[in-house]
Amino acid sequence: MQASISLSFSTPAISRSDPARFFVAGVGVTPEGLSFSRLQGQALRFCVRKFSGVGRSPHLVSSRKLCKKTLAAVTDNGSTGKGFDYDLVIIGAGVGGHGAALHAVEKGLKTAIIEGDVIGGTCVNRGCVPSKALLAVSGRMHELQSEDHLKSMGLQVLNHSYDRQGVADHANNLASKIRSNLTNSLKALGVDILTGVGTIVGTQKVKYGKVGTVDKEVTAKDILIATGSVPFVPNGIEIDGKTVFTSDQALKLEWVPEWIAIVGSGYIGLEFSDVYTALGSEVTFVEALDQLMPGFDPEIGKLAQRILINPRKIDFHTGVFAKKITPARDGKPVQIELIDAKTKEPKDVLEVDAALIATGRAPFTKGLGLESVNVTTQRGFVPVDERMQVIDSNGNPVPHLYCIGDANGKMMLAHAASAQGVSVIETICGKVHVLNHLSIPAACFTHPEISMVGLTEPQAREKAEKEGFEVFVAKTSFKANTKALAENEGEGLAKLIYRPDNGEILGVHILGLHAADLIHEASNAIAMGTRIQDIKFAVHAHPTLSEVLDELFKAAKLYNDGRHPMSMVGCALHGKPWVC
């Protein structure tokens, strides 16, 4: 989720992926990237100039009424097919539902979105957005606390501190601003926002309503489920919201404990360790698997442990379950009973000030009414095919019913939900689209950041063994990058996993300064099917961090590439011709 922009007509067009939209004097102005017909677009630009006072002339001034009608027409929410209230009804107004709604309106579909909580869902209100506000603070605090780092650049900081409430307000205010932008963008485009809990009562019928009120029913040609997820809390863990809490509650930052245990060392746990250590807490990880950061490429995980964990006030227990966690009460601290993950034998009892449960997320699909269309969830997830169409209990696609995002479990990332939503709208409009999930990047916003796309090295080698091809690995270091050295941020690694026979990119993993921004060159290459032999000729500005990727692709050695010779010994070992 990107940051919001200021409301100004002088600002140029913004990306469709940015939730921010212009909303002035009650008139929604759609930027470029949310295209309508060419004629509508020209009329819209004309009227934007008129209302903003740009290029004012007598002819423009006299056309005010005409412009009002033009803007109303451009932002009209389409018209439905015969017999339906809407072309599309979306259940859930998180990032996935919002992105789908915008694309649906662009395609001319009359659209409604049902939301029982708040616009923006988990990402905006309890996830990506407020967490990045906290991580922005932690990044600056980590830098201020690193005296050697600052001294090497000739800087001296006598003291540093923070205001806890101010930090918490920063996160809350950002979430509020983005939520407002999302709401305004939907209203500006004429999307009907139906407040209440949505329930499916047929393949083309949904009811909604608040507790204590009479439910209303609407019909739609197509229905899209985008209900997201909630924090998963294992059995035996008692949540009190104060001393034992989930990530949702942690984002409020009501206090900063001296010693906090984080159960789970994935994305969520790792990011919160970055925040809490920056604010002065000691952290203990409790991880059920044998190594920290189990979802990361193993080599990247080891380097991340050396950079992000070992130098900080963090210790850890791996290969253990938190069988029972009791909140602090009656003057006693939080108690965590640990058992061996394999033998289930008691291992230890931790006594800490607080415990953050970061054990992943569970789909929010209970009460959706899926039984009315003969659909059975799998561990709570809605089964879907490659087009995100819901599959019933007999294995057949349910007509006119789709599900995206965390609720289907394919890839529990906000931007994946948005991409799936756009893909569904394309399919609904007659252009069947299948999303390549291996091209969707992921990022962990620690300091430095970690990002990845595609397969890890073990996954790639397993695939290669089954399908009968070779896997090569290329690496480059941030220590050789001029911009990183100028920032005194040379710690980092970029890793490319690829096929030497055809140049296919199988995966890219980065740990280093702005890794979350750098990964998109690789993810776009995978999405577009671009091979290494082509992308290595792309030109990158100097000196920039992007040259880390430039050097990475140039470091790859390909068979029959015609540009990268190999020694005779290497040729003989591989039994492949390397052409000079």
Side-chain angles (χ1 to χ4, degrees):
M1 181 67 64
Q2 298 177 16
S4 63
I5 62 170
S6 59
L7 300 179
S8 169
F9 277 113
S10 62
T11 307
I14 56 178
S15 167
R16 225 185 68 66
S17 63
D18 193 321
R21 293 291 185 271
F22 299 124
F23 191 71
V24 178
V27 180
V29 181
T30 306
E32 292 178 11
L34 201 61
S35 61
F36 292 84
S37 71
R38 184 177 180 183
L39 182 60
Q40 285 175 320
Q42 290 174 343
L44 177 61
R45 285 190 290 274
F46 175 88
C47 291
V48 168
R49 290 173 57 83
K50 182 236 179 297
F51 277 114
S52 63
V54 178
R56 185 177 294 274
S57 70
H59 298 293
L60 288 176
V61 173
S62 65
S63 63
R64 185 176 187 86
K65 292 183 180 179
L66 175 61
C67 282
K68 284 184 177 180
K69 291 181 180 180
T70 302
L71 287 170
V74 170
T75 58
D76 180 56
N77 189 14
S79 58
T80 63
K82 187 176 181 181
F84 295 103
D85 297 317
Y86 296 96
D87 291 314
L88 177 68
V89 166
I90 302 169
I91 305 175
V95 172
H98 177 268
L102 295 187
H103 199 59
V105 173
E106 180 181 353
K107 291 293 185 178
L109 302 182
K110 183 172 177 59
T111 305
I113 194 163
I114 299 173
E115 180 53 65
D117 186 17
V118 287
I119 300 295
T122 293
C123 176
V124 171
N125 300 287
R126 301 174 297 277
C128 335
V129 171
S131 69
K132 298 311 160 290
L134 296 184
L135 285 159
V137 173
S138 72
R140 286 165 174 77
M141 286 299 293
H142 278 302
E143 189 168 13
L144 290 172
Q145 291 164 359
S146 179
E147 293 184 9
D148 292 340
H149 172 83
L150 294 174
K151 284 182 179 179
S152 67
M153 300 174 70
L155 299 176
Q156 294 182 0
V157 178
L158 299 179
N159 55 65
H160 54 269
S161 61
Y162 67 90
D163 170 25
R164 182 202 58 78
Q165 188 58 53
V167 175
D169 289 345
H170 172 52
N172 182 64
N173 292 340
L174 177 62
S176 178
K177 181 181 294 185
I178 299 300
R179 182 170 60 248
S180 176
N181 288 339
L182 291 178
T183 304
N184 288 341
S185 68
L186 292 172
K187 291 179 178 178
L189 292 175
V191 175
D192 289 344
I193 301 175
L194 311 178
T195 303
V197 177
T199 305
I200 296 168
V201 292
T203 55
Q204 295 176 296
K205 185 181 292 184
V206 177
K207 69 177 182 179
Y208 70 96
K210 297 180 180 180
V211 177
T213 64
V214 178
D215 288 344
K216 298 179 181 179
E217 284 191 355
V218 291
T219 59
K221 189 175 180 181
D222 292 286
I223 298 170
L224 177 60
I225 298 168
T227 48
S229 63
V230 294
F232 170 69
V233 180
N235 293 330
I237 297 178
E238 182 183 346
I239 300 290
D240 70 348
K242 298 294 183 182
T243 60
V244 180
F245 43 79
T246 67
S247 57
D248 284 3
Q249 295 148 338
L251 288 167
K252 298 176 183 178
L253 201 69
E254 293 181 345
W255 66 301
V256 178
E258 290 187 22
W259 184 10
I260 182 170
I262 299 179
V263 183
S265 62
Y267 295 87
I268 298 172
L270 202 58
E271 288 186 351
F272 271 106
S273 76
D274 196 279
V275 171
Y276 279 116
T277 53
L279 299 183
S281 300
E282 293 186 27
V283 171
T284 296
F285 273 118
V286 175
E287 173 57 56
L289 297 181
D290 291 333
Q291 64 180 35
L292 294 175
M293 296 167 278
F296 296 84
D297 181 88
E299 186 173 11
I300 295 293
K302 289 180 181 178
L303 180 60
Q305 182 173 330
R306 182 172 67 80
I307 297 174
L308 298 173
I309 293 179
N310 294 347
R312 299 177 181 177
K313 293 181 179 180
I314 301 176
D315 65 354
F316 52 87
H317 299 264
T318 56
V320 294
F321 283 128
K323 181 183 179 181
K324 184 178 181 181
I325 299 182
T326 306
R329 61 170 65 103
D330 301 327
K332 296 180 180 179
V334 174
Q335 290 194 329
I336 305 175
E337 298 179 20
L338 302 180
I339 62 172
D340 188 280
K342 296 176 181 177
T343 67
K344 305 301 185 291
E345 294 293 324
K347 288 278 291 186
D348 200 355
V349 176
L350 298 179
E351 292 187 344
V352 295
D353 298 309
L356 166 62
I357 312 305
T359 47
R361 300 186 65 85
F364 183 52
T365 55
K366 189 175 181 180
L368 261 177
L370 293 169
E371 63 279 359
S372 68
V373 288
N374 191 31
V375 173
T376 303
T377 60
Q378 301 169 358
R379 294 179 296 111
F381 294 106
V382 179
V384 296
D385 63 13
E386 62 181 4
R387 297 176 300 165
M388 307 302 128
Q389 189 163 5
V390 175
I391 303 298
D392 68 18
S393 301
N394 299 319
N396 301 314
V398 179
H400 310 291
L401 184 60
Y402 300 83
C403 179
I404 62 170
D406 289 5
N408 70 32
K410 281 186 172 288
M411 201 170 194
M412 299 179 79
L413 297 168
H415 51 279
S418 185
Q420 289 172 0
V422 170
S423 180
V424 166
I425 301 307
E426 289 292 305
T427 297
I428 286 174
C429 292
K431 185 179 179 182
V432 176
H433 182 269
V434 176
L435 181 64
N436 177 10
H437 285 80
L438 285 177
S439 71
I440 299 177
C444 185
F445 294 86
T446 48
H447 297 88
E449 296 172 343
I450 307 172
S451 63
M452 63 220 71
V453 65
L455 303 174
T456 63
E457 185 175 345
Q459 289 171 339
R461 295 200 180 281
E462 182 180 354
K463 178 181 174 68
E465 186 175 350
K466 289 180 180 179
E467 300 181 13
F469 61 84
E470 288 185 272
V471 170
F472 277 16
V473 173
K475 304 173 191 176
T476 53
S477 172
F478 278 67
K479 292 179 180 178
N481 181 267
T482 302
K483 183 68 183 302
L485 293 177
E487 299 277 351
N488 202 16
E489 296 282 357
E491 288 277 18
L493 173 74
K495 178 178 180 178
L496 167 66
I497 305 160
Y498 66 100
R499 289 182 58 162
D501 57 342
N502 63 9
E504 180 185 358
I505 300 170
L506 300 175
V508 174
H509 303 263
I510 309 172
L511 189 158
L513 186 64
H514 295 304
D517 298 310
L518 295 176
I519 197 64
H520 295 94
E521 182 172 3
S523 67
N524 289 339
I526 293 175
M528 300 300 293
T530 306
R531 302 299 169 117
I532 294 170
Q533 53 266 42
D534 297 316
I535 198 172
K536 66 171 55 179
F537 287 105
V539 180
H540 299 72
H542 175 78
T544 62
L545 292 171
S546 70
E547 291 176 291
V548 170
L549 272 296
D550 184 35
E551 293 299 323
L552 185 64
F553 292 127
K554 284 181 169 60
K557 307 296 182 182
L558 304 176
Y559 296 144
N560 295 318
D561 178 52
R563 291 180 289 275
H564 290 275
M566 188 177 182
S567 68
M568 293 298 291
V569 174
C571 292
L573 287 175
H574 286 275
K576 301 281 185 178
W578 291 76
V579 181
C580 299

